[in-house]
Amino acid sequence: MGIVSPGFQGRPRTAEPALPPGQYLTEDFPVLSAGPTPRVPLDTWEFVLTTETGAEYRWSWDELMGLPQETPHVDIHCVTRWSKLGTDWQGVSLDTLLDGVDTTARYALAHSYGGYTTNLPLDDLRGGRAWVVHTYEGGPLPAEHGGPARLLVPHLYFWKSAKWVRGVRLFVDDQPGFWETAGYHDYGDPWREQRYQGD
């Protein structure tokens, strides 16, 4: 005689989303900034990629819009412990911007309108893992969330996804950015809970 009746499924299990350690789920999109929100007119906006030798590659807003566009659907994780799942963006892959760039650099420093900087290994900007995005959930990226364009590097804590991005400079050696010089982790992997130096 069987112990379990045919068709018995037990209690339904709640499918909890997989979150990095120490994170909580939010449906909102909290606004956190290190300073005032810059307002950048599209007719003067530009993105500049500078190699370790000083060679520059520039794109105006119209030129950026003319590049192949991608639509990443990603989860984002803030160092302040909130996570937002299934966000939709549109923008240009860093693979596209780096295509044809002659470099032996291993690191990058993203620069923003307003003076913010953050550092990343160059490999983390490649392989379909980073974008310059201008659209969020089907509409223009609001200024408070980094518009007109921000860096999106969703596999790292969100401070690495620099708001109001204006360029990336490549370096042979690591150059810490704004939060990194204030004690935040150089890399910032949410799954390894790398919030601060020493984590």
Side-chain angles (χ1 to χ4, degrees), residues 19 26-27 31 66 79-80 83 89 91 96-97 112 125 131 140-141 143-144 148 150 153 157 164 172 178 185 189:
L19 295 177
T26 184
E27 299 298 324
V31 175
V79 72
T80 60
S83 290
W89 308 79
T96 298
L97 299 174
S112 297
L125 297 180
W131 299 265
L141 182 62
E144 63 268 22
R150 76 178 297 157
V153 191
Y157 279 125
W164 315 298
V172 173
F178 178 85
H185 200 279
D189 183 344

Side-chain angles (χ1 to χ4, degrees), residues 4-181:
V4 178
S5 302
F8 180 75
Q9 301 292 323
R11 287 191 183 142
R13 294 185 180 177
T14 304
E16 292 293 332
L19 295 177
Q23 297 292 109
Y24 69 88
L25 187 62
T26 184
E27 299 298 324
D28 298 328
F29 194 168
V31 175
L32 301 168
S33 301
T37 299
R39 307 289 173 174
V40 186
L42 297 184
D43 59 352
T44 61
W45 183 94
E46 69 173 354
F47 183 87
V48 182
L49 177 64
T50 308
T51 72
E52 70 277 19
T53 64
E56 291 186 344
Y57 302 79
R58 295 175 176 269
W59 293 269
S60 68
W61 185 261
D62 288 343
E63 288 167 339
L64 187 81
M65 296 300 106
L67 293 174
Q69 303 288 310
E70 296 185 6
T71 54
H73 177 80
V74 296
D75 304 334
I76 54 177
H77 309 288
C78 184
V79 72
T80 60
R81 301 189 181 273
W82 61 261
S83 290
K84 186 171 177 62
L85 305 183
T87 60
D88 288 296
W89 308 79
Q90 181 178 323
V92 177
S93 171
L94 264 291
D95 291 318
T96 298
L97 299 174
L98 287 163
D99 186 40
V101 173
D102 184 23
T103 181
T104 59
R106 296 175 53 223
Y107 297 94
L109 189 69
H111 294 262
S112 297
Y113 289 94
Y116 179 80
T117 57
T118 191
N119 61 321
L120 308 101
L122 184 54
D123 283 349
D124 285 86
L125 297 180
R126 290 181 157 146
R129 300 197 296 164
W131 299 265
V132 174
V133 293
H134 50 77
T135 299
Y136 172 70
E137 300 295 344
L141 182 62
E144 63 268 22
H145 291 305
R150 76 178 297 157
L151 193 61
L152 177 66
V153 191
H155 65 281
L156 300 178
Y157 279 125
F158 213 42
W159 91 80
K160 296 291 186 176
S161 295
K163 292 181 176 182
W164 315 298
V165 70
R166 69 180 305 171
V168 169
R169 186 172 188 105
L170 306 183
F171 290 94
V172 173
D173 299 311
D174 196 12
Q175 305 289 322
F178 178 85
W179 285 118
E180 295 81 15
T181 58

